[in-house]
Amino acid sequence: MTNAETVRSAYEAFARADVPAILETFAEKIVWSEAEGHPYGGEYTTPEGVVDGVFVPLATRWDHFSADVDHVIDGGSDLLVAVGRDGGRYKANGNVINIPFAHVWTMRDGKAIHVRQHTDTALFQLAVSGD
């Protein structure tokens, strides 16, 4: 499987809520960097940390949260960029989002060793605050 196929398979697994399949795309020592200012912002340094710090809040605090990828840009190296949109409805207040993102994936030996999120964190904060 190419790096681009691996990255796409991670988003496909996320859409199915198939956490074990997502974790198959991660290296044992991954750094997942949610954007500073994001409601779940920070660095998570294990696959389990990503699940607990990012995936569980998305699954429990949002209805129909999605990370839909439009393009995976692969320059033929171990660095790829997934471009798409996050969507969903925040359960606490009913606010709906449709926010663009770019996720930069660094791969080694077919596994993600670093994923860095770039998104409009102000729109996320507005959605969760209800203002």
Side-chain angles (χ1 to χ4, degrees):
M1 185 178 296
T2 68
N3 285 336
E5 290 168 336
T6 298
V7 169
R8 281 199 178 280
S9 75
Y11 291 100
E12 291 165 0
F14 186 83
R16 297 188 310 270
D18 186 348
V19 173
I22 299 168
L23 296 180
E24 281 294 312
T25 68
F26 292 179
E28 195 173 303
K29 295 187 183 216
I30 186 170
V31 176
W32 184 284
S33 302
E34 285 286 296
E36 186 176 331
H38 190 278
Y40 317 118
E43 285 200 347
Y44 304 91
T45 58
T46 64
E48 296 78 17
V50 176
V51 170
D52 294 341
V54 180
F55 297 164
V56 168
L58 292 174
T60 59
R61 298 177 190 166
W62 295 83
D63 282 326
H64 311 292
F65 187 88
S66 62
D68 297 319
V69 174
D70 298 320
H71 306 285
V72 174
I73 302 162
D74 180 358
S77 70
D78 287 338
L79 192 66
L80 299 95
V81 179
V83 179
R85 300 188 80 78
D86 286 324
R89 185 180 68 79
Y90 194 59
K91 289 180 180 181
N93 58 25
N95 286 341
V96 174
I97 62 167
N98 183 9
I99 303 172
F101 69 74
H103 296 158
V104 179
W105 291 67
T106 305
M107 308 292 286
R108 181 173 299 138
D109 299 325
K111 302 278 186 177
I113 61 169
H114 191 192
V115 178
R116 179 175 299 280
Q117 175 200 49
H118 299 274
T119 192
D120 188 334
T121 59
L123 290 177
F124 266 100
Q125 288 293 352
L126 186 61
V128 300
S129 71
D131 293 334

